[in-house]
Amino acid sequence: MNKRERLLATVRGDEVDRAPVALWRHFPGDDQRAEDLAQATIAFQERYDFDLVKVSPSNSFVGEDWGAQTAFEGNMEGTRTYLTRPLKRPSDWRKLKPLEVKRGALGRQLECLRLLQAHWGDKTPFIQTVFNPLMVARYLRGDAWLADMRSHPKEFAAGVEVITETMARFARAAIQAGAAGLFFATQAATYRQLSEEEYRQWGLPYDLKVLEAASGGWFHLLHLHGEEVMFDLAREYPAQAVNWHDRSTKPSLREARAKFSGA
């Protein structure tokens, strides 16, 4: 089996020659330039030959083009510290404008994907990390995003609509650049932050719009970040696989198999 055949058979529950394997990491410093990130990603893959490559930009790539300023302070998971956030007050949500995704930091990431596609072709599937709109909202506003959502819903909704439109455009462009799908990450689908009713209002509908834009992809991996995650929502996402911190939070792998039809 080649890598694509192995992944698709696993998702369907068919017999495979072996279980597909994928591990990933960040490349701090190299993630600030398309060519450097592509070279680091290729070198890592050539060393280990995984069945799937997750392309890992810095967390700042979704905020830079809206004016966020960040600095790398040594976090080897690639997380950059936000020094300046573009949204200072609830009314600022209405000031957000859709971005041209082929320019700036988003365009830089698309160029990285094009370089990977040119190098690997159909040999090695790779997926692009995309943060869901609520994560982007948090990066732009900081922890105040949650208070804004509850106390200034009209202003917040205006901003999330713009974020969703931009991330949907980026997701579509990522597939066109050669990505097999998205590593679609959410940090808000956890009972430690929101109720399920709140997530169904402010998270799920916008998430689905982004994934719909990437419907040309064939392998989307949903990442539920944190503890006490809303795992039952996973079945409502058009994702072939789901990823979560199963060593530190429910459900167990055995429990999850009964809740999710993919991998």
Side-chain angles (χ1 to χ4, degrees):
M1 282 182 155
N2 63 32
K3 293 176 172 59
R4 176 170 177 155
E5 292 169 343
R6 189 174 295 116
L7 287 167
L8 291 176
T10 299
V11 169
R12 293 192 302 264
D14 295 344
E15 185 175 346
V16 293
D17 56 344
R18 62 166 175 78
V21 178
L23 300 174
W24 47 82
R25 55 159 294 177
H26 283 270
F27 301 96
D30 292 331
D31 55 17
Q32 299 304 293
R33 292 165 298 280
E35 296 82 1
D36 291 351
L37 180 56
Q39 290 174 8
T41 303
I42 289 168
F44 186 65
Q45 173 63 9
E46 288 184 348
R47 179 174 182 178
Y48 295 106
D49 193 28
F50 294 124
D51 291 296
L52 178 71
V53 173
K54 172 188 177 291
V55 185
S56 301
S58 68
N59 65 325
S60 62
F61 92 103
V62 293
E64 289 178 37
D65 297 334
W66 273 303
Q69 296 181 345
T70 66
F72 179 65
E73 297 183 341
N75 187 311
M76 291 311 295
E77 292 184 0
T79 301
R80 293 175 68 87
T81 301
Y82 273 70
L83 305 176
T84 302
R85 301 182 191 271
L87 306 184
K88 308 296 185 184
R89 55 191 65 84
S91 59
D92 287 347
W93 291 107
R94 294 189 181 275
K95 297 180 181 179
L96 283 181
K97 302 296 181 185
L99 297 175
E100 169 50 67
V101 300
K102 295 182 180 180
R103 301 176 182 172
L106 296 177
R108 178 182 75 214
Q109 193 57 33
L110 293 175
E111 175 61 18
C112 174
L113 299 182
R114 287 189 287 268
L115 293 171
L116 295 177
Q117 174 64 20
H119 182 82
W120 284 323
D122 296 331
K123 178 183 176 182
T124 300
F126 57 90
I127 56 177
Q128 168 62 41
T129 301
V130 171
F131 303 131
N132 83 319
L134 288 184
M135 278 186 70
V136 180
R138 176 182 165 224
Y139 288 140
L140 298 180
R141 180 76 166 105
D143 292 339
W145 75 271
L146 188 55
D148 289 352
M149 184 196 80
R150 290 168 174 162
S151 301
H152 301 274
K154 292 183 179 179
E155 288 79 5
F156 185 74
V160 172
E161 289 284 355
V162 171
I163 292 171
T164 301
E165 178 183 346
T166 296
M167 297 315 297
R169 289 178 182 175
F170 176 78
R172 183 180 297 110
I175 302 302
Q176 294 170 348
L182 307 181
F183 179 91
F184 190 78
T186 173
Q187 293 183 353
T190 164
Y191 293 107
R192 293 193 174 187
Q193 280 199 336
L194 302 177
S195 66
E196 185 172 324
E197 181 181 2
E198 287 177 318
Y199 199 82
R200 286 188 176 279
Q201 177 180 359
W202 294 108
L204 184 61
Y206 300 103
D207 294 354
L208 294 180
K209 288 181 180 179
V210 177
L211 285 162
E212 180 182 359
S215 60
W218 56 270
F219 191 88
H220 297 309
L221 177 56
L222 172 66
H223 173 60
L224 301 174
H225 188 89
E227 298 187 356
E228 297 182 42
V229 295
M230 302 177 190
F231 192 90
D232 288 349
L233 291 180
R235 70 187 70 185
E236 301 186 37
Y237 284 78
Q240 284 68 40
V242 62
N243 168 258
W244 75 104
H245 303 283
D246 74 289
R247 300 294 87 187
S248 58
T249 192
K250 294 180 179 180
S252 67
L253 292 174
R254 184 182 300 277
E255 293 167 337
R257 181 169 291 281
K259 295 175 178 286
F260 186 75
S261 60

